[in-house]
Amino acid sequence: MNFVLKGDICWSHDAQHLNTIKDGFLVCEGGIVTGVFKNLPEKYAGLPVEDYSGKLIVPGLTDLHIHAPQYVFRGMKMDLELLEWLNTSAFPEEAKYQDTEYARRAYRIFVDDLRKSGTTRCCMFATLHLPATKVLMELLEESGQISYVGKVNMDRNSPDYLCEESAEASAEATVQWLAETGKAFPRTKPILTPRFIPSCSDELMERLAAIQKEYNLPVQSHLSENHGEISWVQELVPESRFYGDAYDRVGLFGGNVPTIMAHCVHSGEEETELMKKRGVYIAHCPQSNTNLMSGIAPVRTYLEKEIPMGLGSDVAGGAVLSIFRAMADAIQVSKLRAVLVDHNLKPLTMAEAFFLGTKGGGSFFGKVGSFDAGYECDALVLDEGKIPYPQELTIEERLERFIYLSGNDDILHKFVKGRRLF
Ligand code: GUN
Ligand code: FE
């Protein structure tokens, strides 16, 4: 597990600055980055050097929000808004995971593609089905990826074929799932996953809050994605001051509870302030927000307020797995927001988008997503072979074109916490 990677190394220390070292040496010891050096210090001379001279080496990417069961129907029924899309596409497809053999085939495809991608860390929704969720966790563990996986909770406003019988039944299934998987996997951990307020009764939310305390679990859900959804939450939980307050009332909104909220496209001032106060992570999912016509999240505002944030593919709201693509999408929608919505908001820079997809989201997993000393060593050696160039380019220029052009991530080698996946 001790080795040196040699190449053109690029990483974020903060949102504004990219660090680059041409022909540098990345030293990894016991799964942890010791440092990046222009010249290899004498004391590391005995370590094996993997020579990727001329290739870009960057930190692994984090996908803070994805629906694993939706991978196999990505890129279809993309002409609908959120609530209609859930009813006609997502829910019927997710119901198929009742059949564990179907789930195994579908999750195999998902996990194989995830493994080949630039993503090393992932926070994902499964479905409400316990056996299928276990299969997903087993496949992920085998792949070497590091993930949080959530068995989904939903006990209301869902079709009969994809709805738990009662709050009690949903909570009991969750406890059983935790007993079976909570300590089973070194790299694959459970995360509490109420789907969103419309599909979770007050009683279920309270039961989940009790489970969260007992098992000390992180939490993921959806927040302020779509206007219809937001007014529905106001009707369902009339005493809530805003959408996020419906999670906060039961204690599932940051603070001592590591929490990811996907989207936050239409969060108002109070909700934004509470996310900042509670350290709630925002999973910004630009492609999904475009496909489902949700809107454009005010990421510049979130960055300025220093609310923790990363990127999400939100497959199948988003059609592609690539977090490089999510970086480009995030920059593009931020430009549209600057032109169409708020001229005072500066669009995202490439360095900022790269930060969000690496260190920004990675920090949910601890010291992850950077090559600063002490970070867990997730590293990608990129393959620029399919996008050749004749001119001299800087490392920054090569990284930028890789973000925009790589399509399906073209990764030559991938390391997750110091372990080589390929
Ligand atoms: N809100 C509740 N469920 C979902 C889902 O599956 N996808 C998205 N994008 N939003 C949701
Ligand atoms: Fe989602």
Side-chain angles (χ1 to χ4, degrees):
M1 275 252 245
N2 297 350
F3 56 86
V4 178
L5 302 181
K6 178 170 189 235
D8 298 335
I9 303 173
C10 186
W11 76 102
S12 294
H13 173 67
D14 58 39
Q16 277 70 47
H17 305 100
L18 273 180
N19 296 317
T20 60
I21 296 193
K22 185 148 182 60
D23 296 319
F25 298 87
L26 168 67
V27 178
C28 171
E29 294 177 291
I32 305 296
V33 174
T34 306
V36 182
F37 306 95
K38 179 69 196 147
N39 300 300
L40 188 64
E42 191 53 41
K43 59 183 163 183
Y44 306 120
L47 295 182
V49 178
E50 301 192 21
D51 190 346
Y52 302 120
S53 293
K55 306 259 188 288
L56 286 174
I57 301 176
V58 301
L61 313 181
T62 291
D63 189 339
L64 271 191
H65 183 74
I66 180 167
H67 298 261
Q70 298 179 4
Y71 186 68
V72 291
F73 69 89
R74 70 200 187 286
M76 296 191 286
K77 297 230 179 89
M78 293 271 79
D79 294 339
L80 303 170
E81 287 195 37
L82 174 68
L83 299 175
E84 208 188 347
W85 175 79
L86 286 174
N87 284 320
T88 61
S89 189
F91 291 162
E93 288 289 341
E94 287 190 20
K96 295 177 183 169
Y97 289 73
Q98 169 72 29
D99 173 352
T100 310
E101 279 321 299
Y102 176 83
R104 188 177 298 282
R105 277 187 283 136
Y107 281 148
R108 173 92 268 160
I109 294 169
F110 166 66
V111 173
D112 282 350
D113 284 359
L114 183 66
R115 183 176 163 280
K116 284 182 244 160
S117 79
T119 300
T120 55
R121 312 273 173 148
C122 210
C123 296
M124 64 184 83
F125 285 49
T127 61
L128 56 78
H129 311 101
L130 217 164
T133 303
K134 272 174 64 181
V135 166
L136 173 61
M137 294 174 87
E138 285 161 10
L139 292 172
L140 283 165
E141 187 65 26
E142 218 178 270
S143 76
Q145 295 278 132
I146 294 183
S147 343
Y148 282 114
V149 176
K151 173 227 163 312
V152 172
N153 296 98
M154 45 200 298
D155 75 331
R156 70 169 174 188
N157 295 320
S158 309
D160 289 347
Y161 59 78
L162 192 71
C163 191
E164 294 172 296
E165 225 164 71
S166 62
E168 192 181 6
S170 178
E172 273 174 7
T174 304
V175 169
Q176 191 187 337
W177 165 62
L178 292 170
E180 291 177 21
T181 64
K183 299 206 168 74
F185 308 111
R187 294 197 162 209
T188 314
K189 302 291 180 194
I191 181 167
L192 204 60
T193 306
R195 182 170 206 125
F196 65 159
I197 293 291
S199 49
C200 298
S201 66
D202 294 355
E203 185 190 340
L204 177 54
M205 292 304 287
E206 271 158 26
R207 285 177 181 272
L208 292 180
I211 292 172
Q212 188 285 321
K213 276 203 189 72
E214 187 176 342
Y215 292 85
N216 196 21
L217 295 170
V219 175
Q220 59 180 355
S221 194
H222 294 94
L223 180 63
S224 298
E225 179 176 6
N226 163 289
H227 288 302
E229 171 209 24
I230 293 167
S231 1
W232 196 15
V233 169
Q234 193 54 57
E235 282 168 34
L236 290 165
V237 192
E239 60 279 27
S240 62
R241 293 174 299 143
F242 44 86
Y243 191 162
D245 188 40
Y247 295 107
D248 193 49
R249 286 168 64 250
V250 292
L252 295 180
F253 202 65
N256 294 326
V257 184
T259 301
I260 302 168
M261 287 289 157
H263 307 304
C264 307
V265 174
H266 304 290
S267 296
E269 226 167 272
E270 272 188 291
E271 185 164 283
T272 304
E273 282 309 316
L274 192 63
M275 289 192 286
K276 178 176 167 60
K277 189 167 157 200
R278 296 265 194 277
V280 168
Y281 272 73
I282 295 172
H284 175 45
C285 308
Q287 188 174 134
S288 168
N289 297 158
T290 307
N291 288 336
L292 298 177
M293 284 179 63
S294 303
I296 309 170
V299 285
R300 168 64 59 204
T301 307
Y302 297 150
L303 269 180
E304 280 172 357
K305 288 187 180 291
E306 297 182 345
I307 299 175
M309 181 163 52
L311 298 176
S313 64
D314 193 29
V315 163
V320 297
L321 202 54
S322 169
I323 293 298
F324 286 119
R325 172 66 186 275
M327 293 174 192
D329 291 337
I331 296 166
Q332 290 173 337
V333 302
S334 76
K335 289 175 179 169
L336 291 178
R337 186 166 176 110
V339 170
L340 299 173
V341 184
D342 188 344
H343 299 276
N344 297 316
L345 288 184
K346 276 202 323 261
L348 285 187
T349 63
M350 192 273 280
E352 287 167 333
F354 184 71
F355 170 84
L356 291 178
T358 55
K359 197 175 189 180
S363 64
F364 190 76
F365 289 82
K367 289 183 126 184
V368 170
S370 177
F371 292 149
D372 289 347
Y375 270 64
E376 297 183 9
C377 187
D378 288 16
L380 309 172
V381 182
L382 306 184
D383 182 3
E384 293 162 279
K386 289 191 193 137
I387 44 172
Y389 55 94
Q391 72 276 53
E392 286 279 318
L393 296 177
T394 64
I395 293 179
E396 285 92 335
E397 287 168 332
R398 285 163 60 199
L399 178 65
E400 183 172 21
R401 66 197 288 285
F402 195 88
I403 288 171
Y404 280 90
L405 301 180
S406 73
N408 285 327
D409 301 355
D410 287 314
I411 313 296
L412 279 175
H413 302 287
K414 175 168 173 174
F415 300 82
V416 183
K417 205 174 175 180
R419 187 199 296 176
R420 177 202 269 271
L421 268 52
F422 56 85

